[in-house]
Amino acid sequence: EVQLVESGGGSVQAGGSLKLSCAASGFTDAAYVIGWFRQSPGKGIEGVSSMSRSGATFYSVSVKGRFTMSRDGAKNILYLDMKNLKPEDTAIYYCGATYVIDLVVTEDGLPAIWAYSGQGTQVTVSS
């Protein structure tokens, strides 16, 4: 069973940085996409970034150039390095994953539906 456990959220002022981590486990040998999505009050789910097993990476337009996703393959930990944070980045951030066989993507190349997700971690950016 796929398990995703996030950590690293917190509160920062605008312009600050945070780094999120996601410990991933339980995947089968099937190809999958892993990444991050977020949800803020009154808004729907917004894909943030995703990475395939080959390392192909996609970012939403709203975070491109500010957020960087990386992966420690040996430890199977996913990271999201967030810089120049803005108040509109305030949200609960989730680590998510979807097997490629079930993958439907948005125009950003991000999963439209995340089959698996962690419990989420709060990121709050004050102005």
Side-chain angles (χ1 to χ4, degrees), residues 1 7 13 35 46 48 99 114:
E1 182 180 350
S7 60
Q13 291 191 325
E46 178 189 8
V48 174
Y99 284 106
W114 301 81

Side-chain angles (χ1 to χ4, degrees), residues 72-93:
D72 183 331
K75 297 179 181 179
N76 216 14
I77 297 177
L78 190 71
Y79 300 100
L80 184 67
D81 195 359
M82 306 183 293
K83 298 187 184 300
N84 191 21
L85 282 160
K86 304 176 181 180
E88 52 264 40
D89 294 318
T90 295
I92 299 175
Y93 283 71

Side-chain angles (χ1 to χ4, degrees), residues 24-100:
S25 63
F27 290 100
T28 68
D29 291 336
Y32 61 89
V33 170
I34 192 168
W36 299 88
F37 64 94
R38 65 189 181 186
Q39 187 166 26
S40 53
K43 294 186 179 180
I45 289 173
E46 178 189 8
V48 174
S49 63
S50 69
M51 180 185 288
S52 68
R53 200 159 59 177
S54 67
T57 306
F58 294 89
Y59 295 93
S60 70
V61 172
S62 60
V63 307
K64 200 168 188 178
R66 300 187 298 120
F67 291 11
T68 303
M69 186 171 61
S70 60
R71 186 173 189 172
D72 183 331
K75 297 179 181 179
N76 216 14
I77 297 177
L78 190 71
Y79 300 100
L80 184 67
D81 195 359
M82 306 183 293
K83 298 187 184 300
N84 191 21
L85 282 160
K86 304 176 181 180
E88 52 264 40
D89 294 318
T90 295
I92 299 175
Y93 283 71
Y94 297 87
C95 181
T98 300
Y99 284 106
V100 170

